[in-house]
Amino acid sequence: MIDGSVEIQRVSFEGLRARLTEVFRQAGVIRHNAGILADNCARCERDGVHSHGIFRIPGYLGSLESGWVDGRAQPRVEQAGDGYLRVDAANGFAQPALDAARSQIEDSLARSGHCIVAIRDSHHFSALWPDLEPFAEAGYVGFTTVTGVAHVVPPGGHTPVFGTNPIAFATPVAEAPPLIFDQATSTMAHGDLQIAAREGKTVPMGTGVDRSGNASDSPESILEGGLSPFGGHKGGSIALMVEILASALTGGQFSSEVDLSGHPGAQTPRTGQFLLLIDPARGDNAAFARRVAGLLEAVRSAGQSRLPGERRLRHRRDAERHGIPITRQDWEALAK
């Protein structure tokens, strides 16, 4: 959230994307990849997902300047089977690796009605919904997940083993934007925890533990200890599943294997990403999107006031009308 007492200005999406592209270019990222990363960050900022927008830029730059990630990486795409792609990100960012596979993904979907994408040796440092939204808008159901730096302790534990290990799901909806949810399998995203610490706030008890394994409401103590999985043992099981899909299956590192110690300033996790896309029309169900719309209406009628992604879309509409709100300090920092 942007504090109302802070001076802000409104900038266009195109203006923010252009400035971010230049930031990445000057940090040594090749032009095509810089544009993809800038577009991703600008989308997050536009949609009010501040923990994955320009807040992340210092982490991107730290990883690039330390040599931890290769901004000039050229991903390699391999056809591993019918509807199965392997992508070696070559120690580059995950979004350009996914983009490199896009034409083959589209071919697999047209031919087989599904596509599994296993990306390895990749750095993913953003939200996952931008990865899925274009496919859901094209009519496909999607699921994706990534591992990260070990920030999450297993249930009852005291030592981080899992990343925040987000999962995202997307589906088309008749006569409406796609439904997309994107959530960490930890009680809180690590970026949100960092923001809480920066703003001097406390967090609910149960969010995480200190370095001794004791529950804490202090973001600073939890940053030294570890976050907890959401839902106790059930969330821990899902975090474990993510490690298996996004690291073991892809051939990437587990969260607990990521070692940034030799690269001061680096923040991005070098792990893997798993992506599954399905064409619902192949299920002999032409009414799929309409049935999903009916289900969502039933959920609203049952009393749920806000569906996943609706707040993000409200921010998007506001930004499209009035521009993206950015603090003057952040805008000037990007210019430098």
Side-chain angles (χ1 to χ4, degrees):
M1 294 293 290
I2 295 176
D3 190 325
S5 65
V6 175
E7 184 181 3
I8 65 170
Q9 62 188 62
R10 296 273 182 165
V11 302
S12 68
F13 176 81
E14 292 76 14
L16 177 58
R17 180 171 55 188
R19 181 157 291 190
L20 289 170
T21 299
E22 184 60 22
V23 169
F24 284 116
R25 288 284 294 124
Q26 293 201 19
V29 181
I30 57 176
R31 183 171 299 280
H32 178 72
N33 292 357
I36 292 172
L37 295 175
D39 185 81
N40 182 282
C41 286
R43 288 176 184 273
C44 290
E45 198 68 30
R46 176 199 63 189
D47 289 10
V49 188
H50 301 301
S51 61
H52 290 86
I54 61 176
F55 169 77
R56 293 281 188 177
I57 293 299
Y60 278 111
L61 299 184
S63 292
L64 287 160
E65 291 167 1
S66 70
W68 171 244
V69 61
D70 184 359
R72 308 185 68 83
Q74 299 285 351
R76 296 184 294 275
V77 184
E78 310 167 80
Q79 189 79 44
D82 191 23
Y84 197 129
L85 298 176
R86 289 195 300 259
V87 185
D88 182 353
N91 192 33
F93 291 106
Q95 292 89 347
L98 177 59
D99 181 74
R102 193 167 301 274
S103 64
Q104 288 173 254
I105 291 171
E106 292 170 353
D107 289 345
S108 292
L109 287 166
R111 184 175 62 253
S112 306
H114 71 277
C115 188
I116 295 169
V117 185
I119 303 174
R120 66 185 183 276
D121 201 15
S122 59
H123 296 249
H124 203 295
F125 202 48
S126 183
L128 288 173
W129 61 262
D131 296 352
L132 291 181
E133 189 169 52
F135 295 108
E137 289 174 340
Y140 301 112
V141 175
F143 171 80
T144 190
T145 188
V146 297
T147 38
V149 178
H151 291 309
V152 179
V153 300
H158 52 75
T159 303
V161 175
F162 306 134
T164 56
N165 290 10
I167 57 176
F169 173 80
T171 179
V173 180
E175 300 179 359
L179 172 78
I180 308 177
F181 71 76
D182 178 358
Q183 62 187 57
T185 55
S186 55
T187 52
M188 177 180 283
H190 193 255
D192 289 333
L193 184 67
Q194 291 175 300
I195 290 175
R198 184 179 67 182
E199 296 178 350
K201 297 179 178 178
T202 59
V203 294
M205 291 296 289
T207 297
V209 299
D210 62 21
R211 63 175 62 188
S212 298
N214 300 312
S216 176
D217 65 355
S218 164
E220 292 85 357
S221 296
I222 296 171
L223 287 169
E224 293 178 355
L227 287 159
S228 298
F230 80 91
H233 285 82
K234 293 182 179 180
S237 297
I238 296 175
L240 179 62
M241 176 194 72
V242 171
E243 294 284 339
I244 294 169
L245 288 176
S247 289
L249 185 65
T250 66
Q253 289 185 305
F254 290 120
S255 299
S256 57
E257 294 175 327
V258 176
D259 182 6
L260 303 173
S261 61
H263 297 81
Q267 294 186 33
T268 60
R270 182 178 179 177
T271 55
Q273 178 174 6
F274 172 83
L275 175 70
L276 171 65
L277 297 165
I278 303 170
D279 182 357
R282 299 301 183 99
D284 194 25
N285 183 4
F288 175 82
R290 181 168 53 79
R291 295 194 69 210
V292 172
L295 175 62
L296 298 183
E297 186 55 40
V299 171
R300 289 191 186 92
S301 298
Q304 184 169 333
S305 60
R306 178 168 59 86
L307 292 174
E310 287 186 340
R311 181 172 60 183
R312 175 167 48 78
L313 293 175
R314 283 201 304 272
H315 279 285
R316 182 181 301 183
R317 289 191 293 269
D318 178 73
E320 289 171 345
R321 287 194 298 267
H322 306 296
I324 302 169
I326 296 180
T327 68
R328 186 169 299 278
Q329 180 182 8
D330 284 342
W331 185 249
E332 292 174 353
L334 290 177
K336 295 177 182 177

